[in-house]
Coordinates of all heavy atoms in Angstrom, one line a residue:
L1041 N -21.6 -15.0 2.6 CA -20.5 -14.4 1.9 C -19.1 -15.0 2.2 O -18.3 -15.4 1.4 CB -20.4 -12.9 2.0 CG -21.5 -12.1 1.4 CD1 -21.5 -10.7 1.9 CD2 -21.4 -12.2 -0.1
T1042 N -18.9 -15.2 3.5 CA -17.6 -15.7 4.0 C -17.4 -17.1 3.5 O -16.3 -17.4 3.0 CB -17.6 -15.7 5.6 OG1 -17.7 -14.4 6.0 CG2 -16.2 -16.3 6.1
S1043 N -18.4 -18.0 3.5 CA -18.2 -19.3 3.1 C -17.8 -19.4 1.6 O -16.9 -20.1 1.1 CB -19.3 -20.2 3.4 OG -20.5 -19.7 3.0
V1044 N -18.5 -18.5 0.8 CA -18.2 -18.5 -0.7 C -16.8 -18.0 -0.9 O -16.0 -18.5 -1.7 CB -19.2 -17.6 -1.4 CG1 -18.7 -17.3 -2.8 CG2 -20.6 -18.2 -1.5
L1045 N -16.4 -16.9 -0.2 CA -15.1 -16.2 -0.4 C -14.0 -17.1 0.1 O -12.9 -17.2 -0.6 CB -15.1 -14.9 0.3 CG -16.1 -13.9 -0.3 CD1 -16.3 -12.7 0.6 CD2 -15.8 -13.5 -1.7
E1046 N -14.2 -17.8 1.2 CA -13.1 -18.7 1.7 C -12.9 -19.8 0.8 O -11.8 -20.3 0.7 CB -13.4 -19.1 3.1 CG -13.2 -18.0 4.1 CD -13.5 -18.3 5.6 OE1 -14.2 -19.3 5.8 OE2 -13.0 -17.6 6.4
Q1047 N -13.9 -20.3 0.1 CA -13.8 -21.4 -0.9 C -12.9 -21.0 -2.0 O -12.3 -21.8 -2.7 CB -15.1 -21.8 -1.5 CG -16.0 -22.6 -0.5 CD -17.4 -22.8 -1.1 OE1 -17.7 -22.5 -2.2 NE2 -18.3 -23.4 -0.2
H1048 N -12.8 -19.7 -2.2 CA -12.0 -19.1 -3.3 C -10.6 -18.6 -2.8 O -9.9 -17.8 -3.4 CB -12.7 -18.0 -4.1 CG -13.8 -18.5 -4.9 ND1 -13.7 -18.9 -6.2 CD2 -15.1 -18.8 -4.6 CE1 -14.8 -19.3 -6.7 NE2 -15.7 -19.3 -5.7
G1049 N -10.3 -19.1 -1.6 CA -8.9 -18.8 -1.0 C -8.7 -17.4 -0.4 O -7.6 -17.0 -0.1
L1050 N -9.8 -16.7 -0.2 CA -9.7 -15.4 0.4 C -9.9 -15.5 1.9 O -10.7 -16.2 2.4 CB -10.8 -14.4 -0.2 CG -10.7 -14.1 -1.6 CD1 -12.0 -13.5 -2.2 CD2 -9.6 -13.1 -1.9
S1051 N -9.0 -14.7 2.6 CA -9.2 -14.7 4.1 C -10.1 -13.5 4.4 O -10.0 -12.4 3.8 CB -7.9 -14.6 4.8 OG -7.4 -13.3 4.8
V1052 N -11.1 -13.7 5.2 CA -12.2 -12.7 5.5 C -12.2 -12.2 6.9 O -12.2 -13.0 7.8 CB -13.6 -13.4 5.1 CG1 -14.7 -12.4 5.4 CG2 -13.6 -13.9 3.7
L1053 N -12.2 -10.9 7.0 CA -12.4 -10.2 8.3 C -13.9 -9.7 8.3 O -14.5 -9.5 7.2 CB -11.5 -9.0 8.5 CG -10.0 -9.4 8.5 CD1 -9.2 -8.1 8.3 CD2 -9.6 -10.1 9.8
Y1054 N -14.4 -9.5 9.5 CA -15.8 -9.1 9.6 C -16.0 -8.0 10.6 O -15.4 -8.0 11.7 CB -16.6 -10.4 9.9 CG -17.9 -10.1 10.6 CD1 -19.0 -9.5 10.0 CD2 -18.1 -10.5 12.0 CE1 -20.2 -9.2 10.6 CE2 -19.3 -10.3 12.6 CZ -20.3 -9.6 12.0 OH -21.5 -9.4 12.6
A1055 N -16.9 -7.1 10.3 CA -17.3 -6.1 11.3 C -18.8 -5.9 11.1 O -19.4 -6.0 10.0 CB -16.6 -4.7 11.0
E1056 N -19.5 -5.7 12.3 CA -21.0 -5.7 12.2 C -21.6 -4.3 12.1 O -22.8 -4.1 12.0 CB -21.6 -6.5 13.4 CG -21.4 -5.9 14.7 CD -22.0 -6.7 15.8 OE1 -22.0 -8.0 15.7 OE2 -22.5 -6.1 16.8
N1057 N -20.7 -3.3 12.1 CA -21.2 -1.9 11.9 C -20.1 -1.1 11.3 O -18.9 -1.5 11.3 CB -21.8 -1.3 13.2 CG -20.8 -1.2 14.3 OD1 -19.7 -0.7 14.1 ND2 -21.2 -1.8 15.4
G1058 N -20.4 0.1 10.9 CA -19.5 1.0 10.2 C -18.3 1.4 11.1 O -17.1 1.3 10.7
R1059 N -18.6 1.8 12.4 CA -17.5 2.2 13.3 C -16.5 1.0 13.5 O -15.3 1.2 13.4 CB -18.1 2.6 14.6 CG -17.2 3.5 15.4 CD -17.8 4.1 16.7 NE -19.1 4.7 16.4 CZ -20.3 4.3 16.8 NH1 -20.4 3.1 17.3 NH2 -21.3 4.9 16.5
E1060 N -17.1 -0.2 13.7 CA -16.2 -1.3 13.9 C -15.4 -1.6 12.6 O -14.2 -2.0 12.6 CB -17.1 -2.5 14.3 CG -16.3 -3.7 14.8 CD -17.3 -4.9 15.1 OE1 -18.1 -4.7 16.0 OE2 -17.2 -5.9 14.5
G1061 N -16.1 -1.4 11.5 CA -15.4 -1.7 10.2 C -14.1 -0.8 10.0 O -13.1 -1.2 9.6
I1062 N -14.3 0.5 10.4 CA -13.1 1.4 10.4 C -12.0 1.0 11.3 O -10.9 1.0 11.0 CB -13.6 2.9 10.7 CG1 -14.5 3.3 9.5 CG2 -12.4 3.8 10.9 CD1 -15.3 4.6 9.8
E1063 N -12.4 0.5 12.5 CA -11.4 0.0 13.5 C -10.7 -1.2 12.9 O -9.4 -1.3 13.1 CB -12.1 -0.3 14.8 CG -12.6 0.9 15.6 CD -13.5 0.5 16.8 OE1 -13.6 -0.7 17.1 OE2 -14.1 1.4 17.3
V1064 N -11.4 -2.1 12.3 CA -10.8 -3.3 11.8 C -9.8 -2.9 10.7 O -8.7 -3.4 10.6 CB -11.8 -4.3 11.2 CG1 -11.1 -5.4 10.4 CG2 -12.7 -4.9 12.4
L1065 N -10.2 -2.0 9.8 CA -9.3 -1.5 8.7 C -8.0 -0.9 9.3 O -6.9 -1.1 8.8 CB -10.0 -0.4 7.9 CG -10.8 -0.9 6.7 CD1 -11.3 0.3 5.9 CD2 -9.9 -1.8 5.7
E1066 N -8.2 -0.1 10.4 CA -7.0 0.6 11.0 C -6.0 -0.5 11.6 O -4.9 -0.2 11.6 CB -7.5 1.6 12.0 CG -8.1 2.8 11.4 CD -8.7 3.8 12.4 OE1 -9.2 3.3 13.5 OE2 -8.6 5.0 12.2
Q1067 N -6.6 -1.6 12.0 CA -5.7 -2.7 12.6 C -5.2 -3.6 11.5 O -4.2 -4.3 11.8 CB -6.5 -3.5 13.6 CG -7.0 -2.7 14.8 CD -8.1 -3.3 15.5 OE1 -8.5 -4.5 15.3 NE2 -8.7 -2.6 16.5
H1068 N -5.7 -3.6 10.3 CA -5.3 -4.5 9.3 C -5.1 -3.8 8.0 O -6.0 -3.7 7.1 CB -6.4 -5.6 9.0 CG -6.7 -6.5 10.2 ND1 -6.0 -7.6 10.5 CD2 -7.6 -6.3 11.2 CE1 -6.4 -8.1 11.6 NE2 -7.4 -7.4 12.1
D1069 N -3.9 -3.3 7.8 CA -3.6 -2.4 6.6 C -3.4 -3.3 5.4 O -3.0 -2.8 4.3 CB -2.4 -1.5 6.9 CG -1.2 -2.2 7.2 OD1 -1.1 -3.4 7.2 OD2 -0.2 -1.5 7.5
D1070 N -3.6 -4.6 5.5 CA -3.4 -5.5 4.3 C -4.7 -5.9 3.7 O -4.8 -6.7 2.8 CB -2.7 -6.8 4.7 CG -3.4 -7.5 5.9 OD1 -4.3 -7.0 6.5 OD2 -3.0 -8.7 6.1
V1071 N -5.8 -5.2 4.1 CA -7.1 -5.5 3.5 C -7.1 -5.1 2.0 O -6.7 -3.9 1.7 CB -8.3 -4.8 4.3 CG1 -9.6 -4.9 3.5 CG2 -8.4 -5.4 5.6
T1072 N -7.5 -5.9 1.1 CA -7.4 -5.6 -0.3 C -8.7 -5.2 -0.9 O -8.8 -4.5 -2.0 CB -6.9 -6.8 -1.1 OG1 -7.8 -8.0 -0.8 CG2 -5.5 -7.2 -0.8
V1073 N -9.9 -5.5 -0.3 CA -11.2 -5.1 -0.8 C -12.2 -5.1 0.4 O -12.0 -5.9 1.3 CB -11.7 -6.0 -2.0 CG1 -11.9 -7.4 -1.5 CG2 -12.9 -5.4 -2.6
V1074 N -13.2 -4.2 0.4 CA -14.2 -4.1 1.4 C -15.6 -4.3 0.7 O -15.9 -3.7 -0.3 CB -14.2 -2.7 2.1 CG1 -15.3 -2.7 3.1 CG2 -12.9 -2.5 2.8
L1075 N -16.4 -5.2 1.3 CA -17.8 -5.4 0.9 C -18.6 -4.6 2.0 O -18.5 -5.0 3.2 CB -18.2 -6.8 0.9 CG -17.4 -7.7 -0.1 CD1 -17.9 -9.2 -0.1 CD2 -17.5 -7.2 -1.5
M1076 N -19.2 -3.6 1.6 CA -19.9 -2.7 2.5 C -21.4 -2.7 2.4 O -22.0 -2.3 1.3 CB -19.4 -1.2 2.2 CG -20.0 -0.2 3.1 SD -19.4 -0.2 4.8 CE -17.7 0.2 4.5
D1077 N -22.1 -3.2 3.4 CA -23.5 -3.2 3.4 C -24.0 -1.7 3.5 O -23.4 -1.0 4.3 CB -24.1 -4.0 4.6 CG -25.6 -4.1 4.7 OD1 -26.2 -4.1 3.6 OD2 -26.1 -4.1 5.8
I1078 N -25.0 -1.4 2.8 CA -25.5 0.0 2.9 C -26.5 0.2 4.1 O -26.3 1.2 4.8 CB -26.2 0.4 1.6 CG1 -25.2 0.5 0.4 CG2 -26.9 1.8 1.7 CD1 -24.0 1.4 0.6
M1079 N -27.4 -0.7 4.3 CA -28.4 -0.5 5.3 C -28.0 -1.1 6.6 O -28.1 -2.3 6.9 CB -29.8 -1.2 4.9 CG -30.3 -0.7 3.5 SD -30.7 1.0 3.5 CE -32.1 1.1 4.5
M1080 N -27.4 -0.2 7.5 CA -26.9 -0.6 8.8 C -27.4 0.5 9.8 O -27.5 1.6 9.4 CB -25.4 -0.7 8.9 CG -24.8 -1.8 8.0 SD -23.0 -2.0 8.3 CE -22.4 -0.5 7.5

């Protein structure tokens, strides 16, 4: 996903679980969209 999105000029942050995802969001209030895996 990152390689496709970066080709389209998007900067990508990554978290490997839900708790970490929330922490990343709290640290980066400029996130414009989240891609959320369901099965974690």
Side-chain angles (χ1 to χ4, degrees):
L1041 287 169
T1042 299
S1043 49
V1044 168
L1045 296 168
E1046 286 179 342
Q1047 286 170 10
H1048 289 268
L1050 293 163
S1051 80
V1052 179
L1053 297 167
Y1054 154 66
E1056 67 181 36
N1057 61 54
R1059 199 173 310 105
E1060 192 180 298
I1062 291 168
E1063 288 170 11
V1064 171
L1065 270 182
E1066 288 174 326
Q1067 294 160 9
H1068 299 271
D1069 58 4
D1070 57 344
V1071 170
T1072 53
V1073 66
V1074 176
L1075 299 182
M1076 180 72 65
D1077 182 33
I1078 294 298
M1079 304 301 287
M1080 292 185 291

